[in-house]
Amino acid sequence: MAKTVAFTNAKPPSNLHSHRTTSQTHTVSFLNLNNLSFVSCSLTLRHKHKQPNWAKPPLLRSKSGLGLGPVEPLEMAAQGWNGTALLVLDMQKDFIEGPIAVKGGKEIVPNVIKAVQVARERGILIVWVVRENDPLGRDVELFRRHYYAGGQVGPASKGSPGAELVEGLVIREGDYKLVKTRFSAFFATHLHSLLQGAGINNLVITGVQTPNCVRQTVFDAVALDYQPVTVIVDATAAATPEIHLANVFDMKNIGVATPTLQEWIDFKA
């Protein structure tokens, strides 16, 4: 026979604890296997509620006036460089020196070289993200296929001089080379599985160009919950400073850290 038992001033079961201040009535049912009696009880519980007290991270301001993002992501990265990867995007001759070169590309070459040097010193994994397109242009975006028509050697065609890294940038043992055919380094590549397998959660981005490959890669990284994501603002570039800064502003607004190279260097693990 089923029995209903009312509990008054009874201590509630431990699995009913909550973190809300509101009084609630819980109905708990369980089966007594000894006498096959079904027991139901009503309990009025008062739970503690604890509001999170989120601290607002201070803003780090650059002398260059770029207006940087929160300090906190950089501090997180500095605490564990072995969980960080440096992505060098499209620093190839065709995109820096060739007919479709990014106008601001040459200016950042020394800073990209320096970022790679510092990354090596810190034991950071360096991922060289490059384009090596089919010579017939069959794997490039539709709007670029005219560059490969009529026997032309299109931008970053596989095996062409234009697909090589600019002078001063060299892939070394222990680095990783990733070939992509679209703006984002994550699109239709195995980058995410590579980074996850290596225990990488923090990404630092350099290269060209800010509104295309940099931005698309950064937004995909944020969507995949990499934290922190850092864009070194003077080791990335666009056709004009205005385009560059507008995109930096957008990335900063989704939680991306945007230090200068020197500010990134100054963070010590």
Side-chain angles (χ1 to χ4, degrees), residues 85 87 125 127 186 190-200 203 226:
L87 272 56
L125 172 65
V127 180
F186 289 98
H190 56 274
L191 178 60
H192 183 53
S193 60
L194 167 74
L195 296 174
Q196 293 297 289
I200 301 297
L203 298 182
Y226 285 91

Side-chain angles (χ1 to χ4, degrees), residues 209-212 214-216 218-219 231 238 240-253 258:
Q209 66 169 314
T210 319
N212 295 351
V214 173
R215 182 186 180 110
Q216 295 275 10
V218 165
F219 271 72
V231 174
T240 68
E242 292 77 17
I243 293 173
H244 178 62
L245 291 175
N247 283 275
V248 168
F249 178 82
D250 288 345
M251 290 185 285
K252 175 184 163 187
N253 279 343
T258 55

Side-chain angles (χ1 to χ4, degrees), residues 38-56:
F38 183 84
V39 181
S40 175
C41 63
S42 295
L43 304 175
T44 300
L45 307 178
R46 187 170 184 82
H47 305 297
K48 294 181 180 179
H49 176 63
K50 190 174 182 180
Q51 286 283 356
N53 185 19
W54 301 110
K56 295 181 179 179

